[in-house]
Amino acid sequence: MRQRFLVAPVILSLALTGTACGKIAEKAAETAVEKSTGADNVDITKDGVKVKTKDGTFESGASSEIPEDLPKAPQFVDSILQSSTKLTSAGDTTWLLSGTVKDAKTAYRTMVKDLKAAGWQLSSEFESNDGDYSGNGTATKGDLDLNFGTTGGTDPTYYYWMTK
């Protein structure tokens, strides 16, 4: 089921091209995505896409929200969420967040500082200034593992991957 769920973003991006034709096209795209991915519910709007399955959820677009059950932890400063995913498998839950940041270097360095201040143990930190800036790291706190990073360029981005 996980493979079919992860294919959903590709299918969803193709389905979004048909939403301009109105509610009929929107409903047809939702039904097509549900059938092709095995999703329990798909909701496509002008603001984004939400997919729910027995294994988790996926959201993309302006309507994306941080999952309510995401464990409390520092988040990137000056960031805009663009997609969120929650998957549950074999007793583990993984939350994946991604979006844009105002400045990749500032966002990464602030995240490292905030994680340390919140009692997280950083197990790796890496920064590169070759071409566009990038930074990535891993941290743990109790039963939580976090992989995080930023990438610079014309549209600086971030990723945030937490597993419990």
Side-chain angles (χ1 to χ4, degrees):
M1 183 61 172
R2 182 177 276 206
Q3 283 182 317
R4 290 182 10 187
F5 182 71
L6 295 175
V7 171
V10 175
I11 294 170
L12 292 172
S13 64
L14 295 172
L16 282 174
T17 61
T19 61
C21 297
K23 292 289 182 193
I24 295 172
E26 204 171 276
K27 185 64 180 166
E30 290 171 357
T31 301
V33 172
E34 287 170 358
K35 286 183 178 182
S36 64
T37 64
D40 299 322
N41 185 37
V42 175
D43 185 25
I44 300 172
T45 67
K46 64 181 175 74
D47 294 326
V49 176
K50 293 182 180 184
V51 178
K52 292 183 181 179
T53 72
K54 67 179 174 117
D55 295 322
T57 60
F58 167 80
E59 294 184 28
S60 181
S63 64
S64 294
E65 297 177 357
I66 294 176
E68 291 179 9
D69 62 345
L70 178 71
K72 186 176 178 173
Q75 297 290 317
F76 281 103
V77 297
D78 295 324
S79 63
I80 298 172
L81 180 66
Q82 292 182 322
S83 73
S84 67
T85 303
K86 175 186 170 189
L87 298 170
T88 303
S89 177
D92 291 336
T93 301
T94 300
W95 297 267
L96 304 137
L97 308 177
S98 65
T100 60
V101 290
K102 184 176 180 181
D103 177 81
K105 186 183 288 188
T106 299
Y108 176 77
R109 290 182 175 174
T110 301
M111 174 63 85
V112 168
K113 180 183 72 141
D114 291 348
L115 286 167
K116 287 178 181 178
W120 287 74
Q121 294 294 114
L122 270 77
S123 39
S124 71
E125 296 177 56
F126 176 78
E127 293 182 79
S128 172
N129 286 308
D130 295 338
D132 292 328
Y133 173 86
S134 66
N136 58 62
T138 58
T140 59
K141 185 174 184 181
D143 62 350
L144 301 173
D145 294 315
L146 177 64
N147 292 291
F148 61 96
T150 62
T151 302
T154 56
D155 293 316
T157 60
Y158 78 89
Y159 69 90
Y160 186 96
W161 181 352
M162 183 183 291
T163 301
K164 180 177 184 179

